[in-house]
Amino acid sequence: LFASISNAWLSGQWDIHQMSHPLPTTLIILALALKVGLAPLHTWMPEVLQGLDLTTGLILSTWQKLAPFCLLLQVQPTNATVLLVLGITSTLVGGWGGLNQTQLRKILAYSSIAHLGWMILVLQFSPSLTFLTLLVYFIMTFSLFISFKISNATNINTLATSWAKAPALTSIIPLILLSLGGLPPLTGFLPKWLILQELTKQGLAPLATVAALSALL
């Protein structure tokens, strides 16, 4: 709200496509980053997701991302650095944060942060690629949350003992998890590969390398 009002004050119009002044543009990007949970504005996300039940958590991880993303796609920043910094910080924080967690919802929250980082990195170069990544992320997260809901698992120990209850489902879960981690030849690898290719084309090979290394975590 503050960003849009300051934009109207500085430029005299309310249109999102005409945001030319760097101050409101940066402000609105930061505000939307806070809304979707991009690092370094991500601190609310793991804690909030941990406190929710799996169905609500699923809605927070998927549906709630659509509106801010639509706005981010329409705001074309004059300076690309903000988005790149947010993107690379998110992939790193998402990778690091997921280590030594036993709570599945927290791991999923950090996974969400990392995936959003990948999307933001390529947002200004190829919006269609961002959309593809978002779609693949939605499908994987949806299937994972539903699997956890069926096996009634909220931490890793419960997941380890779910074999007796639902052997078929328990054998599929590792595949979904590996796909979410972006391991070839699974689906989750496809958007990451395309993003790395696009970043290299744009002459951002060092950034692509850091992002690829963060995905290993």
Side-chain angles (χ1 to χ4, degrees), residues 37-59:
L38 281 168
L41 309 158
H42 69 288
T43 39
W44 62 274
M45 179 102 177
E47 298 303 324
V48 168
L49 201 57
Q50 181 56 34
L52 298 171
D53 67 285
L54 289 166
T55 317
T56 323
L58 170 63
I59 294 168

Side-chain angles (χ1 to χ4, degrees), residues 6-7 98 106 141 152:
S6 55
N7 178 56
K106 274 197 176 169
T141 307
N152 205 7

Side-chain angles (χ1 to χ4, degrees), residues 117-133:
W118 282 87
M119 291 173 218
I120 293 296
L121 274 177
V122 80
L123 185 76
Q124 56 213 349
F125 308 122
S126 172
S128 51
L129 199 47
T130 295
F131 183 65
L132 171 76
T133 316

Side-chain angles (χ1 to χ4, degrees), residues 15-130:
D15 196 349
I16 192 164
H17 298 290
Q18 313 284 305
M19 292 185 76
S20 51
H21 201 284
L23 177 69
T25 312
T26 310
L27 272 175
I28 206 159
I29 286 171
L30 288 174
L32 291 166
L34 174 67
K35 203 162 171 53
V36 287
L38 281 168
L41 309 158
H42 69 288
T43 39
W44 62 274
M45 179 102 177
E47 298 303 324
V48 168
L49 201 57
Q50 181 56 34
L52 298 171
D53 67 285
L54 289 166
T55 317
T56 323
L58 170 63
I59 294 168
L60 179 72
S61 304
T62 54
W63 194 251
Q64 291 290 307
K65 306 262 188 274
L66 285 175
F69 251 97
C70 289
L71 290 171
L72 272 171
L73 278 167
Q74 290 174 68
V75 177
Q76 289 299 322
T78 40
N79 190 356
T81 326
V82 185
L83 285 176
L84 291 176
V85 168
L86 283 169
I88 204 71
T89 318
S90 297
T91 51
L92 289 168
V93 166
W96 277 117
L99 299 173
N100 68 38
Q101 290 287 349
T102 55
Q103 295 294 333
L104 292 174
R105 282 167 296 188
K106 274 197 176 169
I107 294 175
L108 284 171
Y110 282 114
S111 147
S112 166
I113 293 162
H115 276 85
L116 288 167
W118 282 87
M119 291 173 218
I120 293 296
L121 274 177
V122 80
L123 185 76
Q124 56 213 349
F125 308 122
S126 172
S128 51
L129 199 47
T130 295

Side-chain angles (χ1 to χ4, degrees), residues 131-214:
F131 183 65
L132 171 76
T133 316
L134 192 65
L135 205 61
V136 171
Y137 166 72
F138 275 13
I139 294 164
M140 293 188 297
T141 307
F142 187 79
S143 43
L144 210 49
F145 265 102
I146 297 296
S147 310
F148 290 160
K149 195 170 170 58
I150 293 168
S151 55
N152 205 7
T154 52
N155 60 22
I156 290 176
N157 295 341
T158 325
L159 205 57
T161 56
S162 66
W163 182 258
K165 281 190 287 185
L169 189 65
T170 313
S171 53
I172 291 169
I173 289 175
L175 280 174
I176 307 172
L177 280 166
L178 289 171
S179 180
L180 201 63
L183 218 72
L186 299 163
T187 322
F189 175 62
L190 169 80
K192 288 186 175 176
W193 188 25
L194 292 170
I195 288 171
L196 290 173
Q197 195 181 5
E198 184 61 40
L199 287 174
T200 321
K201 266 188 210 161
Q202 299 291 339
L204 295 166
L207 209 61
T209 313
V210 175
L213 290 173
S214 75

